[in-house]
Amino acid sequence: MSALLTVAVIFAAAFPGVDSLFCHQCYEVNQTSCTGPSVRCEEDVTHCIKGLENNTLMDSVIMSAFKGCMDPSNQVECEKGVLFRNSVVLVRIERTCCDTDNCNADDIQMTDVDETPNGYTCDACFNGEISVLCNPTKKIPCIGEEDTCGSFNGSASRPGEVSQLWSLRGCITKESCDRNALNPAGERMYQYDFKCTPPLLV
């Protein structure tokens, strides 16, 4: 073995993961930005991620900001946001990914929602803190890119709060129906049933 190759082998053994990506990592509740240290990601990580999560329940708005290493198994998140809405609840996640060291240092700005009715409607209802499925009593007009109807029944916790039972239906974007994309940073979902169905025409 040549001396140069021997040195290369020793260097690789002494410094594993030297080619790993570095990403800023942080998480803040009730903030629209966060600042954290630059951390070395696992060797299979190829992207950094940053994003904002809006969890609104009536007049209670919880914003969460996050940055970190992108889990390769959830990389579909890089291309998909989340928007689920009815007259009581709004869950919205925007995130971006990049593939160079510390490229997620800057904060993300959440874009405005297109509130133009798009000709679709969905059944809508909400039950919280009880174990009874909500019974749709009305329909709501979908707006912007909301092109699917969604329903959630199960246990979940809002950012910084304890878990409780929720049942809700409303308008959702089709890309939010991908379970790998529906991966909130602050909200936690436990045992639940989540379904998407085609929307109704007005």
Side-chain angles (χ1 to χ4, degrees):
M1 180 181 294
S2 70
L4 183 59
L5 182 57
T6 301
V7 170
V9 171
I10 294 174
F11 182 83
F15 300 97
V18 293
D19 292 329
S20 297
L21 188 67
F22 282 87
C23 299
H24 286 274
Q25 182 171 292
C26 58
Y27 174 73
E28 291 287 347
V29 179
N30 292 319
Q31 299 291 333
T32 57
S33 65
C34 68
T35 302
S38 172
V39 300
R40 185 189 296 276
C41 302
E42 297 293 329
E43 291 187 28
D44 58 345
V45 171
T46 59
H47 288 75
C48 302
I49 188 170
K50 61 182 177 180
L52 283 176
E53 180 179 325
N54 180 333
N55 186 298
T56 297
L57 175 61
M58 301 180 69
D59 295 329
S60 172
V61 180
I62 302 178
M63 295 293 295
S64 302
F66 57 92
K67 297 175 184 176
C69 302
M70 178 75 252
D71 184 339
S73 65
N74 293 329
Q75 198 159 312
V76 66
E77 294 177 20
C78 294
E79 304 170 2
K80 297 182 179 181
V82 171
L83 178 58
F84 190 113
R85 180 189 60 86
N86 63 23
S87 59
V88 179
V89 173
L90 168 72
V91 175
R92 186 177 179 211
I93 306 172
E94 284 200 19
R95 48 207 165 194
T96 61
C97 298
C98 50
D99 61 2
T100 58
D101 284 342
N102 298 315
C103 56
N104 64 339
D106 295 335
D107 295 322
I108 185 173
Q109 300 296 320
M110 193 166 274
T111 58
D112 294 332
V113 173
D114 180 0
E115 298 185 357
T116 306
N118 59 21
Y120 295 128
T121 65
C122 289
D123 290 332
C125 61
F126 171 81
N127 273 347
E129 302 182 10
I130 55 178
S131 58
V132 179
L133 298 184
C134 68
N135 181 31
T137 57
K138 62 179 180 180
K139 299 184 186 302
I140 61 168
C142 299
I143 59 176
E145 298 180 357
E146 298 171 349
D147 55 357
T148 304
C149 298
S151 67
F152 177 93
N153 300 293
S155 176
S157 61
R158 302 182 72 208
E161 298 185 0
V162 299
S163 174
Q164 62 187 62
L165 296 173
W166 307 91
S167 179
L168 58 146
R169 295 190 183 191
C171 295
I172 191 170
T173 54
K174 186 177 297 181
E175 62 182 16
S176 304
C177 297
D178 188 321
R179 285 179 179 266
N180 287 327
L182 188 68
N183 185 26
E187 181 179 349
R188 291 290 177 262
M189 299 180 293
Y190 305 99
Q191 294 181 333
Y192 65 92
D193 178 52
F194 174 65
K195 294 180 180 178
C196 289
T197 56
L200 306 171
L201 293 174
V202 174

